[in-house]
Amino acid sequence: MKIPVLEIFGPTIQGEGMVIGRKTMFVRTAGCDYGCSWCDSKFTWDGSEKDLIQMMEPEEIFDALKAKGGNKFNHVTISGGNPALLRQLGELVDILHDTQIQVALETQGSKWQDWFTQIDDLTISPKPPSSGMKTDFEKLDFIIDALNKKQQGMYSLKIVIFDHADFNYAKDVHQRYPDAALFLQVGNEHIEQTNDEQLITHLLKKYEQLVDLVMEDEVFKDVRVLPQLHTYLWGNKRGV
């Protein structure tokens, strides 16, 4: 089965989550089972770029990665949309591993795939109330339990914070899965902002506010608080 691909780019740095700052290539797949209000990648699921989707064999994706990145990378991030919708991604993961390339992937924890256990850096990012989505905790319980038993690589939880309701949601998630590494990240609600200076000023202020909240909280003892690093470098620019 072919894989729906919207973008292949890099090498660049990972701007989010457990491997923030890591040099990586990106493969962005199309399609999502969510429709988050603040999604910065709506083009992957809202139909606006459906004509740009390429249906690619895993070998073709590997060839495209090598054509763009040459020998300058050993890490690939698969993002979306929600790449967990694609059962056929397991073959791409195998090809990358066969060539000593590590794989990262982010998903919201709404779907399980057996190839999750082979991902080197797996981020589960359940969506907080501000997204407008509702977490299926029965499904998420299953996923976290399976990862605790079977995961060959590393996995973590990441929650994007826009407001106090999101902050409280993150506390509930942390208490539900206390053994999972947790990353909190500042949300960017200004995804159409083209003035980078204004965007960075705003996001830095929000980052400081989130840090202050976490420092005073008794639940968040073992947690990492992150900026969305790539926005500090490139604003809302795509393909970087």
Side-chain angles (χ1 to χ4, degrees), residues 144-185:
I144 297 300
D145 182 63
L147 292 175
N148 284 334
K149 292 177 179 176
K150 304 175 184 178
Q151 183 67 4
Q152 298 173 33
M154 299 177 64
Y155 87 91
S156 67
L157 290 165
K158 186 195 81 176
I159 299 175
V160 180
I161 307 296
F162 284 85
D163 54 33
H164 282 281
D166 292 354
F167 188 78
N168 290 331
Y169 169 89
K171 286 202 287 187
D172 291 341
V173 170
H174 186 42
Q175 290 173 309
R176 192 179 185 103
Y177 312 113
D179 296 328
L182 176 64
F183 295 81
L184 302 183
Q185 182 176 294

Side-chain angles (χ1 to χ4, degrees), residues 75-181:
H75 190 270
V76 170
T77 299
I78 303 172
S79 65
N82 183 10
L85 298 176
L86 305 172
R87 180 167 52 87
Q88 62 270 37
L89 271 176
E91 187 176 345
L92 175 61
V93 174
D94 288 340
I95 291 172
L96 293 169
H97 281 165
D98 287 344
T99 52
Q100 288 73 55
I101 296 173
Q102 292 185 320
V103 183
L105 183 138
E106 181 174 327
T107 178
Q108 57 261 44
S110 60
K111 303 287 183 182
W112 168 264
Q113 296 289 350
D114 289 341
W115 48 258
F116 277 10
T117 61
Q118 302 171 45
I119 300 297
D120 300 284
D121 304 305
L122 177 63
T123 297
I124 306 296
S125 182
K127 304 309 178 189
S130 63
S131 69
M133 300 293 104
K134 186 174 177 61
T135 301
D136 181 345
F137 278 104
E138 184 176 346
K139 174 67 72 174
L140 190 55
D141 287 347
F142 171 83
I143 291 173
I144 297 300
D145 182 63
L147 292 175
N148 284 334
K149 292 177 179 176
K150 304 175 184 178
Q151 183 67 4
Q152 298 173 33
M154 299 177 64
Y155 87 91
S156 67
L157 290 165
K158 186 195 81 176
I159 299 175
V160 180
I161 307 296
F162 284 85
D163 54 33
H164 282 281
D166 292 354
F167 188 78
N168 290 331
Y169 169 89
K171 286 202 287 187
D172 291 341
V173 170
H174 186 42
Q175 290 173 309
R176 192 179 185 103
Y177 312 113
D179 296 328

Side-chain angles (χ1 to χ4, degrees), residues 6-7 9 28 40 43 49 52 234-240:
L6 265 170
E7 295 181 311
F9 61 92
R28 187 182 298 281
D40 61 0
F43 59 90
E49 297 192 7
L52 301 180
W234 301 296
N236 288 316
K237 185 179 179 181
R238 274 178 59 179
V240 291

Side-chain angles (χ1 to χ4, degrees), residues 187-202:
N188 173 18
E189 68 269 50
H190 296 308
I191 57 176
E192 303 297 331
Q193 173 65 266
T194 58
N195 186 312
D196 291 351
E197 184 176 349
Q198 289 182 10
L199 178 65
I200 293 169
T201 298
H202 172 72

Side-chain angles (χ1 to χ4, degrees), residues 6 20 31 39 50 57 63 74 84 92 129-130 188 192 197 213:
L6 265 170
I20 190 169
C39 179
K50 62 182 180 180
E57 298 282 356
D63 290 343
N74 67 354
L92 175 61
S130 63
N188 173 18
E192 303 297 331
E197 184 176 349
L213 282 175

